[in-house]
Amino acid sequence: MKLLSDAGRKAPKVFTGDEHAFEKMLRNEKLDAVIIATPWEWHVPMAVASMKSGTAYTAVEVSAANTIEECWDLVNVYEETGKQLMILENVCYRRDVMAILNMVRTGLFGELIHCRCGYEHDLRPVKFNDGTTYYYDKGDALKMGKDAYAEAQWRGLHAIRRNGDLYPTHGIGPVANYLDINRGNRFLSLSAMATKSRGLHKFILDNGGPDHPYANIDFNLGDIVTTMIKCANGETVIVTHDTNLPRPYSLGFRVEGTNGLWYNDGDMIYIENKSKVPDEWDDAEAWIQQYDHKFWREKGQEAEGGGHGGMDYIMLTDFFDAVKNNKPVPLNAYDAAAWSAISALSEMSVARGGSLVDFPDFTRGKWIKNKPFFALDEGFPMDSERMLIHTIF
Amino acid sequence: MKLLSDAGRKAPKVFTGDEHAFEKMLRNEKLDAVIIATPWEWHVPMAVASMKSGTAYTAVEVSAANTIEECWDLVNVYEETGKQLMILENVCYRRDVMAILNMVRTGLFGELIHCRCGYEHDLRPVKFNDGTTYYYDKGDALKMGKDAYAEAQWRGLHAIRRNGDLYPTHGIGPVANYLDINRGNRFLSLSAMATKSRGLHKFILDNGGPDHPYANIDFNLGDIVTTMIKCANGETVIVTHDTNLPRPYSLGFRVEGTNGLWYNDGDMIYIENKSKVPDEWDDAEAWIQQYDHKFWREKGQEAEGGGHGGMDYIMLTDFFDAVKNNKPVPLNAYDAAAWSAISALSEMSVARGGSLVDFPDFTRGKWIKNKPFFALDEGFPMDSERMLIHTIF
C-alpha cells in the first residue's frame, strides 16, 4: 500500500477477512488479470476460480500444483474456459538462463543430450523462524506452523508429510525451455530416490536443544531427492531437491550437447573448436554477455534493482505484454502442469524405492506439432536443424 | 624392458606368443604377485587363473569385471582359494580424494547423505586413432578395431554392443570408501537411464566424412548414462558416464553431509560454522592441504612424477606393502565385485528404461559387521559416531 501511495497511485481495493475472500473479489470485480502468490495449497483452487470467473489472464506462482489431479485441473479448466494461465517461473527470465537459451537455440551446444538442474537452497532458516521475521537467526526462538511468520507457517508441514521433489520448477522451467518440452518434445518417465532425513531434525536439536517440543517430529522429506527424467527425444534430465542441509545456494544447471556444455556451478562453458584451449573450461561470463537476450538488452537497466536480480521485472513485463496485447502467455497451463507434476510423480517413485513412473501427456498429443514460442529473440534465431521439422509439417 | 635395464635391473622373463601365454607363466613360475593390466575382457579370466594357480596376491586393473557372473567369479574364487585379490582403483589414492576421506572420517561433513561421481572424459580420441599413436589428432586416418593402436583396438566394440555405465570404478571407488560400502553399508539398488547416442557417430562424420566405412556403425552406448544408487544406510549416489562428447575431463565428485559438502568441479567446500562466510563456498585447496593423507605426507615427494599425478605410485606402494607384509589387500574382491557390478546392473536397468534393479550382496551378509580398513590415517581418526557401532558389536 505504502509503495503505491509513495508512487502517487491510488490505493487498491483489498479483499480480506477469511481464506475465501478472493471469491468475493472474483465475483464482484471485472479484472484484467489475476496474480496468485499464496501458499502452495491455494494455487490451484485460486487459479481455477479465477479462470472460471472469466478473468482473461491468470498468473500463478511456483510450484503451480501439488498433485497430478491438480495439474489436470489447471489444464482442463484452461481448455474449458479458454482463459489464459501463466506459471510465474521467474528463473526462466534470469539473465544467464536466457543467454543460455539463445546459445541453445542458435545451436552453439549442438544437439542437446543431457541437462541438470535443481533447487539446492538451505531453507532451514525459512522453514523455522521466531514468529516476527522471515529468516531464522541463531539464538532466535524456534517456531514453525501457526506461531511462525510467513512461509514457516506452512512450508514445514510439506516436509513433515511429503517425500519427493517439492519445488522442481526453478530448475526444470529453464531446462524445459532448452529442451522444447511441450513444443516438439515431452517428459516421458521418471525415477526418483530420496535420502534419509536428517537436516531438519538436526537443526531443531542444534538450535532448540533435545527438549524442544519439535525434537520428536518425524520428517518424511529426505534431505536430498534426486529425480531422473527421460524425454521423448532421447535426452535425460537430473533434477535435485536439496533444502535441509547447510550449503551455498545453487540451481545447479548443466546443459550438455554434441558440441559442448555449460556448468552453472563454477560458471564454466566449453565449446569444441571455439573455447580458448582444447579440453579446458572457459569462464562462462564472456559467453553469457555475448548471447545476452533481447529482453535484457532492451530492459536490463530498468530491471536492475527489481526482485531476484531483476528477473521478476522481466517476467512480469512479459506477462503484462501478453495481457495488454491479447497474446497467448509465454509459459502456459501445459507448462505449469508438466513441470509441477514432478512433485507428485517423484513422491510416487520415492514411495516405491525409485521405480519408474510415467508422465501424463497433459497436451493430449499436441506437443508433437507445437512450436517453441517462449521468449523468441530474432537476434539469435533457431538453428536450421531445430526448425526443419516445424517447417516440414 | 629399457626402463629396467636403464635402472640396472635384470631383464624380466617374458611370456608371449598367444593370448593364453599367461597360463604357461602361471604354471611354470612361483610368483609373489600378479598385476593384470589387459583389455577388460581378460581381467576375470586372468585373475581367476592367477588365484587358482596359487599366487598369493593378484591385482587387477579397472573395471574388474563386465558381467554379474564375472563379479561372482572373482568373489567365489577368492573365497575358495583364500588368495588375495586387489582392484587397482588408482583414484582411491588421488591426493584430494584421500584428503576428503580424512575429512569424511573425522566427521567434518557430518553424517554423509549424498554423493556424486563419474567418469566424464572425452574418450573419442582414444576410441579411434590412426593405428600408430594412442591419441587421435585432427587429420589422422580414422581407425578402430584390428587396424587401430592400443585401446582403440577393443574399447569401441563395447560402445557398439553395450549400453550402460561401462567404466564406473574411478568414480564409485572413492565414494564407496567415503560411504563404508562393504564395511557397515552396501549398495542396495539402482536405476539407470541412457541418453540417445550421437557423439561417436558425429565424430566419424566430422573426421572421416559421410562416406567413411564407419559412418553406418550403430552405437548402442548412450552418450551419457546416469545411474542412481540407494545405499543400505539411506544415502544416495549419482554416477555419470560421459565419454562420447567434447568436454573437459572430470570425475565430478560431490560429497554432502549434515555439516557441509565438497564439489570437485569448481574445487569448492562449504562447512557450516567453519567456512569463512556463511552460505558461501571456500576454495577447497586449503582444506585439502590441511587434511592431507598420511600416504601423501610420507610419500608425496617420491610419488611426484609418477603415473596419473603420483596416485599410481601411492597405490602400488600400498599393494606392495600388503604383499611384503602378508596383509589383506586394502581394496579387495568384494570391492572389485560391488563396484564393477554397476556396469552390468546399469545395462539391465537401461534396457528396461530405467527400472530398478537390485545389487547382489557379494559379501553374503559380512558387510553388516565388517569394519573400515582402507588407508587408515591415525592423524585423522574415525569420529566416535562412526566407530560406535563397531565397538558395540
Side-chain angles (χ1 to χ4, degrees), chain B residues 369-381:
Chain B
K369 281 195 158 190
N370 281 348
K371 294 178 193 189
F373 57 81
F374 171 75
L376 300 173
D377 182 346
E378 307 74 30
F380 298 96

Side-chain angles (χ1 to χ4, degrees), chain B residues 63-214:
Chain B
S63 224
N66 303 290
T67 68
I68 297 300
E69 294 72 19
E70 283 194 330
C71 292
W72 276 118
D73 285 347
L74 294 178
V75 165
N76 289 337
V77 175
Y78 158 69
E79 292 186 346
E80 282 160 30
T81 62
K83 303 302 174 190
Q84 291 285 311
L85 179 77
M86 174 155 166
I87 177 167
L88 291 173
E89 185 31 75
N90 57 358
V91 181
C92 293
Y93 294 89
R94 208 172 78 177
R95 193 163 200 159
D96 60 340
V97 164
M98 296 199 90
I100 298 292
L101 181 63
N102 275 338
M103 292 186 222
V104 167
R105 286 180 169 168
T106 56
L108 190 79
F109 295 107
E111 182 178 351
L112 289 198
I113 298 293
H114 180 69
C115 292
R116 296 190 183 189
C117 60
Y119 189 66
E120 306 181 291
H121 187 185
D122 178 2
L123 288 182
R124 298 172 305 162
V126 172
K127 289 177 180 169
F128 303 92
N129 57 41
D130 69 355
T132 64
T133 52
Y134 194 83
Y135 289 104
Y136 183 84
D137 282 312
K138 215 163 183 66
D140 284 354
L142 190 80
K143 298 178 182 179
M144 68 191 304
K146 290 192 189 75
D147 297 336
Y149 179 73
E151 280 178 60
Q153 289 186 354
W154 57 270
R155 202 160 182 158
L157 186 58
H158 289 264
I160 293 172
R161 299 277 188 249
R162 302 169 69 193
N163 192 6
D165 187 326
L166 303 184
Y167 206 53
T169 71
H170 286 325
I172 204 66
V175 166
N177 289 327
Y178 299 153
L179 293 174
D180 293 334
I181 297 300
N182 293 340
R183 298 146 175 80
N185 200 0
R186 82 172 189 94
F187 299 135
L188 280 182
S189 56
L190 67 73
S191 165
M193 287 184 186
T195 67
K196 54 190 159 189
S197 176
R198 292 289 186 273
L200 296 178
H201 177 67
K202 183 173 184 293
F203 191 76
I204 292 166
L205 294 190
D206 287 351
N207 291 284
D211 298 325
H212 191 281
Y214 302 166

Side-chain angles (χ1 to χ4, degrees), chain A residues 98-342:
Chain A
M98 297 199 90
I100 298 292
L101 180 64
N102 276 337
M103 291 185 223
V104 167
R105 285 181 170 168
T106 56
L108 190 78
F109 296 108
E111 182 178 352
L112 289 198
I113 299 293
H114 180 70
C115 292
R116 296 191 181 186
C117 61
Y119 189 67
E120 307 183 290
H121 187 185
D122 179 2
L123 287 181
R124 298 172 305 163
V126 172
K127 288 177 181 170
F128 303 92
N129 57 39
D130 70 354
T132 64
T133 53
Y134 194 84
Y135 289 105
Y136 183 83
D137 282 313
K138 216 167 181 65
D140 283 354
L142 188 80
K143 297 179 183 178
M144 68 191 304
K146 290 193 190 74
D147 297 337
Y149 178 75
E151 280 179 59
Q153 290 185 354
W154 56 271
R155 201 160 183 160
L157 185 58
H158 289 262
I160 293 172
R161 298 277 189 249
R162 302 170 68 193
N163 192 7
D165 186 326
L166 303 184
Y167 206 54
T169 71
H170 286 325
I172 204 66
V175 165
N177 289 327
Y178 299 152
L179 294 174
D180 292 334
I181 297 300
N182 293 341
R183 297 144 175 81
N185 200 0
R186 83 173 189 93
F187 299 136
L188 281 183
S189 55
L190 67 73
S191 165
M193 287 184 184
T195 68
K196 54 191 160 188
S197 175
R198 291 288 186 273
L200 296 177
H201 177 68
K202 181 172 185 294
F203 191 77
I204 292 165
L205 294 189
D206 287 352
N207 291 283
D211 298 326
H212 191 282
Y214 301 166
N216 292 323
I217 291 178
D218 199 0
F219 292 91
N220 285 342
L221 180 62
D223 287 335
I224 299 184
V225 177
T226 324
T227 303
M228 195 159 61
I229 301 175
K230 188 73 181 270
C231 302
N233 290 337
E235 309 89 346
T236 55
V237 183
I238 308 293
V239 191
T240 308
H241 185 262
D242 175 358
T243 63
N244 298 340
L245 299 172
R247 58 159 299 139
Y249 174 88
S250 171
L251 298 183
F253 290 111
R254 166 173 172 170
V255 174
E256 186 162 0
T258 51
N259 291 345
L261 73 173
W262 169 53
Y263 276 29
N264 182 192
D265 290 314
D267 296 314
M268 309 184 287
I269 280 182
Y270 179 73
I271 307 292
E272 190 172 34
N273 300 324
K274 294 190 178 173
S275 281
K276 290 187 206 91
V277 183
D279 299 328
E280 286 189 23
W281 294 108
D282 284 345
D283 190 309
E285 186 58 24
W287 285 101
I288 283 167
Q289 280 177 17
Q290 188 187 336
Y291 284 85
D292 198 25
H293 192 275
K294 180 177 76 169
F295 288 4
W296 285 91
R297 298 197 304 273
E298 291 174 359
K299 301 201 182 292
Q301 242 171 339
E302 298 166 41
E304 269 169 33
H308 297 109
M311 62 188 177
D312 294 354
Y313 181 92
I314 299 287
M315 172 181 72
L316 290 173
T317 302
D318 205 26
F319 175 59
F320 295 144
D321 175 53
V323 174
K324 285 177 189 162
N325 299 302
N326 200 26
K327 298 197 294 194
V329 289
L331 305 169
N332 61 25
Y334 303 107
D335 300 318
W339 306 352
S340 303
I342 291 168

